[in-house]
Amino acid sequence: MATLFRCRLAIAAAAACALVLTSSPTAQAGAVGSTPVRTFEYSVGGMTMKVPTGCLFTHIIRGGGKKITYQNAGVDCAFFAALGSGFCNWRIDFTYGNTNNKVYRTSRGRTHPECKIDPMRNNSPQTLPRYGKACAHLYVTGVRRVSQCHHITK
């Protein structure tokens, strides 16, 4: 039994060593954050639409330093919220600000006239001129409904 344990320990140590030796030398970082979408009502073509509780706005970012290699934001709904008509006339914007919260760049998404329960947008890679924060914002009929941000630091 002790021999089997030592053998498994040796295999685990070898695997860990191999993982360290094959790792990329550049530092990579990533962040995922979700913010609840508060319930709200809005009007589309004279009809009142209601977004119930149960939806989260999630923002994913990957990269290293001031370089963003991947960025995505979208809504996931569960329970009764997933059965609704969703979000109509929506868009997702990405903004970038400095450490004093001054926005210096905005990547505005296109407005989607259709209704969608799970709106989502990817953004192109970015190299930021300074540290600060990267945010994603969901707009419905031109009104910002939820935001989610990540700090970009050294």
Side-chain angles (χ1 to χ4, degrees), residues 55-83:
C55 296
L56 291 174
F57 184 61
T58 301
H59 180 207
I60 302 168
I61 192 166
R62 289 186 205 129
K66 293 183 266 184
K67 187 174 178 108
I68 297 172
T69 57
Y70 174 83
Q71 192 172 194
N72 171 283
V75 177
D76 294 305
C77 295
F79 307 113
F80 292 113
L83 302 174

Side-chain angles (χ1 to χ4, degrees), residues 28 34 39 43 69 76 78 81 87 108 113 117 153:
Q28 290 292 309
S34 295
T39 187
S43 181
T69 57
D76 294 305
F87 304 86
R108 184 181 168 119
I117 194 64
T153 60

Side-chain angles (χ1 to χ4, degrees), residues 60-133:
I60 302 168
I61 192 166
R62 289 186 205 129
K66 293 183 266 184
K67 187 174 178 108
I68 297 172
T69 57
Y70 174 83
Q71 192 172 194
N72 171 283
V75 177
D76 294 305
C77 295
F79 307 113
F80 292 113
L83 302 174
S85 59
F87 304 86
C88 305
N89 297 321
W90 63 272
R91 79 170 198 266
I92 295 174
D93 292 354
F94 293 98
T95 60
Y96 307 93
N98 63 19
T99 54
N100 294 321
N101 292 323
K102 181 172 173 43
V103 173
Y104 60 83
R105 183 184 301 167
T106 299
S107 174
R108 184 181 168 119
R110 75 175 183 88
T111 299
H112 298 264
E114 74 277 3
C115 298
K116 195 160 185 181
I117 194 64
D118 58 349
M120 183 182 71
R121 178 178 175 219
N122 290 317
N123 201 24
S124 59
Q126 306 280 315
T127 299
L128 305 178
R130 55 191 72 87
Y131 291 103
K133 67 180 180 177

